[in-house]
Amino acid sequence: MNLAELRQEVSDRGFDYLPAARINRFLNKRYRRVCNLEAWPFLEASTTLTAPASIPDLRAILHVTDTSGNRPLGYEDYRTILDRDPNLRANGNPTSWYLFDGQLHVYPLSGNTLSVRYLRRAAPLTADADKPLIPEEYQYEILVEGACADAYRDSDNAEMAALCEAEYASAIDDMRNDLLVPNYDGPSDIAITFGASTDW
């Protein structure tokens, strides 16, 4: 669903008296809140760049690779690097990355191309055609129910707000179980078999 369709769903629940801008605020509040809850797979993105560089929609970095040698880089706090090299002048193949002043940097300094896997910060839904990144099967229960909870609370209907809030929370749990538990195989399920022995 796009923003116009989501807004219409909220309006059809009995909130047609609310201005479109107010319903949009309710929808975006819930959208922002759910996107910030977890490292959802639908927020993952990748880019290539040469450091230092900004990633405009960066929320968190998952992995950085120096593509020149196909080497993964580890995170290091820039203050630790400054303790070793106060002027940050060392050059060479990078071994670590850090964030400073909103930019991704590597150390030692290098012009190598980097591949960066990261979590996006979801942009607000502003145009009617904008679509949320949340999988469509969860959009109604999360965004519409969440927005209705806020609208009911806004009209002092605590009972209906609580019902919608429960639907919203339940849908988030469903999405969490669906998207964040991709593997049921684990070492706890390994069976150990001992060979037969004979006493003489």
Side-chain angles (χ1 to χ4, degrees):
M1 289 188 283
N2 59 32
L3 177 59
E5 292 166 335
L6 290 165
R7 187 173 61 243
Q8 188 62 50
E9 291 288 346
V10 176
S11 180
D12 289 347
R13 291 279 294 270
F15 299 107
D16 51 336
Y17 61 89
L18 288 176
R22 190 161 186 78
I23 297 177
N24 287 353
R25 275 200 303 275
F26 290 150
L27 288 165
N28 274 293
K29 170 188 170 183
R30 294 299 174 146
Y31 183 42
R32 181 181 67 250
R33 183 175 291 177
V34 72
C35 285
N36 289 338
L37 275 177
E38 303 281 0
W40 302 110
F42 57 78
L43 295 176
E44 291 185 18
S46 60
T47 187
T48 55
L49 52 84
T50 301
S54 298
I55 303 174
D57 59 347
L58 176 66
R59 174 181 155 201
I61 289 180
L62 299 172
H63 192 263
V64 179
T65 301
D66 176 1
T67 61
S68 300
N70 198 28
R71 293 182 302 270
L73 305 184
Y75 168 76
E76 191 170 6
D77 189 286
Y78 80 95
R79 291 166 294 187
T80 304
I81 298 172
L82 284 174
D83 286 343
R84 294 197 313 270
D85 184 359
N87 296 312
L88 295 176
R89 289 182 177 171
N91 286 273
N93 287 321
T95 57
S96 57
W97 64 269
Y98 63 95
L99 292 171
F100 180 74
D101 199 22
Q103 291 189 313
L104 173 69
H105 295 256
V106 295
Y107 185 85
L109 303 179
S110 169
N112 293 359
T113 300
L114 307 174
S115 174
V116 182
R117 189 80 182 159
Y118 68 100
L119 291 178
R120 291 177 282 180
R121 189 172 297 283
L125 307 172
T126 53
D128 280 353
D130 287 352
K131 293 185 176 183
L133 299 172
I134 297 170
E136 189 160 357
E137 62 264 35
Y138 297 109
Q139 289 176 12
Y140 187 92
E141 286 80 7
I142 290 175
L143 299 180
V144 175
E145 291 289 352
C148 285
D150 291 331
Y152 278 123
R153 194 174 295 110
D154 197 50
S155 63
D156 295 324
N157 190 335
E159 183 179 356
M160 288 301 297
L163 290 173
C164 292
E165 198 71 51
E167 287 293 321
Y168 164 82
S170 178
I172 290 175
D173 284 341
D174 287 345
M175 188 167 71
R176 185 180 283 121
N177 290 332
D178 183 22
L179 301 181
L180 299 182
V181 188
N183 179 24
Y184 289 108
D185 188 17
S188 60
D189 298 324
I190 296 173
I192 301 174
T193 304
F194 296 95
S197 63
T198 303
D199 292 328
W200 296 94

